[in-house]
Amino acid sequence: MSSTLPQNEFSLGGIRPEMTVNEVLDIYGSPTSIDNKGDLVYDYGGTVKIFFWKNCYKDSNEYEVQSVTTTANNGFATPAGLRVGMSYSEMVALYKKHPVAAGPKIGKEQGYYYYGKDGIRLLVTVADDKIISIKCYVSV
Protein backbone atom coordinates (compact mmCIF):
# COMPACT_ATOMS: atom_id res chain seq x y z
CA MET A 1 0.00 0.00 0.00
CA SER A 2 1.49 3.33 -1.04
CA SER A 3 0.35 5.09 2.14
CA THR A 4 2.24 2.69 4.44
CA LEU A 5 4.90 4.13 6.74
CA PRO A 6 7.65 2.42 8.76
CA GLN A 7 6.44 1.24 12.16
CA ASN A 8 8.81 3.55 14.05
CA GLU A 9 6.91 6.54 12.61
CA PHE A 10 3.79 5.83 14.67
CA SER A 11 4.17 8.00 17.74
CA LEU A 12 3.37 11.57 18.77
CA GLY A 13 5.65 13.38 21.17
CA GLY A 14 7.29 10.05 21.97
CA ILE A 15 3.95 8.44 22.93
CA ARG A 16 2.96 5.40 20.91
CA PRO A 17 0.08 2.94 21.04
CA GLU A 18 0.50 0.12 23.57
CA MET A 19 2.63 2.16 26.01
CA THR A 20 1.55 1.76 29.63
CA VAL A 21 0.20 4.50 31.88
CA ASN A 22 3.46 4.46 33.85
CA GLU A 23 5.54 4.88 30.69
CA VAL A 24 3.48 7.97 29.74
CA LEU A 25 3.77 9.38 33.26
CA ASP A 26 7.55 8.84 33.16
CA ILE A 27 7.75 11.04 30.05
CA TYR A 28 5.17 13.78 30.71
CA GLY A 29 4.31 13.55 34.38
CA SER A 30 0.82 14.11 35.72
CA PRO A 31 -1.80 15.25 33.20
CA THR A 32 -3.74 18.49 33.48
CA SER A 33 -6.91 16.44 33.94
CA ILE A 34 -8.02 12.81 34.04
CA ASP A 35 -11.37 11.41 32.91
CA ASN A 36 -11.94 7.85 34.13
CA LYS A 37 -15.65 7.45 33.52
CA GLY A 38 -15.35 4.19 31.59
CA ASP A 39 -12.16 4.53 29.58
CA LEU A 40 -9.15 6.36 30.99
CA VAL A 41 -8.30 9.67 29.28
CA TYR A 42 -5.37 11.94 30.12
CA ASP A 43 -5.54 15.56 28.97
CA TYR A 44 -2.39 17.66 28.77
CA GLY A 45 -3.08 21.38 28.43
CA GLY A 46 -6.30 20.96 26.49
CA THR A 47 -4.44 20.18 23.24
CA VAL A 48 -3.21 16.62 23.85
CA LYS A 49 -5.48 13.72 24.75
CA ILE A 50 -4.25 10.23 25.47
CA PHE A 51 -6.87 7.46 25.54
CA PHE A 52 -6.00 4.29 27.43
CA TRP A 53 -7.78 0.95 27.22
CA LYS A 54 -7.46 -2.55 28.54
CA ASN A 55 -6.51 -4.34 25.35
CA CYS A 56 -8.93 -7.25 25.03
CA TYR A 57 -6.46 -9.04 22.74
CA LYS A 58 -3.87 -9.36 25.53
CA ASP A 59 -3.88 -11.23 28.82
CA SER A 60 -2.71 -8.15 30.72
CA ASN A 61 -5.22 -6.22 32.79
CA GLU A 62 -3.09 -3.07 32.56
CA TYR A 63 -4.21 0.10 30.78
CA GLU A 64 -2.22 0.95 27.66
CA VAL A 65 -2.36 3.73 25.07
CA GLN A 66 -5.03 3.21 22.44
CA SER A 67 -4.55 6.69 20.92
CA VAL A 68 -2.77 10.00 21.32
CA THR A 69 -4.14 13.13 19.64
CA THR A 70 -2.76 16.64 19.32
CA THR A 71 -4.73 19.66 18.13
CA ALA A 72 -2.10 22.42 18.39
CA ASN A 73 1.48 23.17 17.43
CA ASN A 74 2.64 22.31 20.94
CA GLY A 75 5.81 20.30 20.40
CA PHE A 76 4.01 17.01 19.76
CA ALA A 77 5.19 15.66 16.42
CA THR A 78 5.87 12.35 14.71
CA PRO A 79 9.48 11.11 14.59
CA ALA A 80 9.79 12.54 11.05
CA GLY A 81 8.58 15.93 12.30
CA LEU A 82 4.93 16.05 11.18
CA ARG A 83 3.11 18.56 13.38
CA VAL A 84 -0.09 20.58 13.56
CA GLY A 85 0.16 23.77 11.47
CA MET A 86 2.06 22.23 8.56
CA SER A 87 0.49 22.25 5.10
CA TYR A 88 -0.76 19.18 3.25
CA SER A 89 2.08 19.54 0.72
CA GLU A 90 4.67 19.68 3.55
CA MET A 91 3.24 16.41 4.91
CA VAL A 92 3.49 14.73 1.49
CA ALA A 93 7.05 16.03 1.03
CA LEU A 94 8.00 14.78 4.50
CA TYR A 95 6.75 11.22 3.89
CA LYS A 96 7.36 11.20 0.11
CA LYS A 97 3.90 9.73 -0.43
CA HIS A 98 0.28 10.78 -0.38
CA PRO A 99 -2.03 9.50 2.38
CA VAL A 100 -5.41 7.89 1.74
CA ALA A 101 -8.51 10.08 2.18
CA ALA A 102 -10.51 9.05 5.24
CA GLY A 103 -14.04 9.31 3.94
CA PRO A 104 -15.71 12.38 2.47
CA LYS A 105 -14.78 15.97 3.25
CA ILE A 106 -16.87 17.45 6.09
CA GLY A 107 -17.15 21.19 5.65
CA LYS A 108 -13.58 22.40 5.25
CA GLU A 109 -12.10 19.36 7.00
CA GLN A 110 -10.65 16.28 5.31
CA GLY A 111 -9.09 13.35 7.14
CA TYR A 112 -6.18 11.34 5.75
CA TYR A 113 -4.65 8.01 6.78
CA TYR A 114 -1.13 6.66 6.82
CA TYR A 115 -0.98 2.98 7.72
CA GLY A 116 1.39 0.82 9.77
CA LYS A 117 1.30 -2.83 10.79
CA ASP A 118 -1.19 -4.50 13.13
CA GLY A 119 -3.89 -1.81 12.87
CA ILE A 120 -1.62 1.14 13.75
CA ARG A 121 -2.53 4.37 11.92
CA LEU A 122 -2.00 8.08 11.70
CA LEU A 123 -5.16 10.08 11.08
CA VAL A 124 -4.27 13.59 9.94
CA THR A 125 -7.06 16.17 9.67
CA VAL A 126 -6.55 19.07 7.26
CA ALA A 127 -8.63 22.26 6.82
CA ASP A 128 -7.78 25.08 4.42
CA ASP A 129 -4.54 23.23 3.51
CA LYS A 130 -3.31 23.23 7.14
CA ILE A 131 -3.05 20.27 9.49
CA ILE A 132 -5.41 20.88 12.42
CA SER A 133 -5.03 17.56 14.26
CA ILE A 134 -2.95 14.39 14.27
CA LYS A 135 -4.06 11.16 15.90
CA CYS A 136 -1.82 8.12 16.29
CA TYR A 137 -3.77 5.03 17.26
CA VAL A 138 -4.32 1.34 17.10
CA SER A 139 -7.63 0.52 15.46
CA VAL A 140 -9.92 -1.61 17.60
Side-chain angles (χ1 to χ4, degrees):
M1 178 180 300
S2 66
S3 61
T4 301
L5 298 177
Q7 204 67 5
N8 65 351
E9 189 54 33
F10 292 90
S11 72
L12 274 174
I15 305 297
R16 67 185 184 286
E18 300 182 343
M19 288 179 80
T20 66
V21 171
N22 286 334
E23 289 172 319
V24 171
L25 291 172
D26 285 347
I27 296 171
Y28 288 104
S30 297
T32 307
S33 67
I34 298 173
D35 178 355
N36 60 357
K37 300 176 192 118
D39 292 326
L40 180 62
V41 182
Y42 279 14
D43 184 304
Y44 287 90
T47 62
V48 174
K49 288 198 184 304
I50 303 173
F51 289 80
F52 296 91
W53 70 316
K54 291 185 180 176
N55 188 335
C56 60
Y57 302 108
K58 293 183 177 179
D59 290 334
S60 173
N61 199 27
E62 188 172 11
Y63 278 104
E64 62 182 46
V65 174
Q66 189 273 326
S67 70
V68 55
T69 304
T70 182
T71 57
N73 186 0
N74 52 17
F76 271 69
T78 66
L82 184 68
R83 61 179 166 64
V84 169
M86 294 176 91
S87 69
Y88 177 89
S89 59
E90 288 174 308
M91 173 177 64
V92 172
L94 187 68
Y95 289 125
K96 299 179 181 29
K97 56 181 76 177
H98 286 275
V100 173
K105 191 172 185 179
I106 300 172
K108 293 182 176 188
E109 296 182 12
Q110 176 66 58
Y112 296 95
Y113 286 121
Y114 282 109
Y115 297 98
K117 295 178 184 174
D118 301 323
I120 304 283
R121 299 179 183 174
L122 281 181
L123 172 60
V124 181
T125 304
V126 176
D128 293 326
D129 193 45
K130 293 288 181 199
I131 295 171
I132 61 170
S133 73
I134 304 169
K135 178 179 183 178
C136 180
Y137 71 103
V138 61
S139 111
V140 291

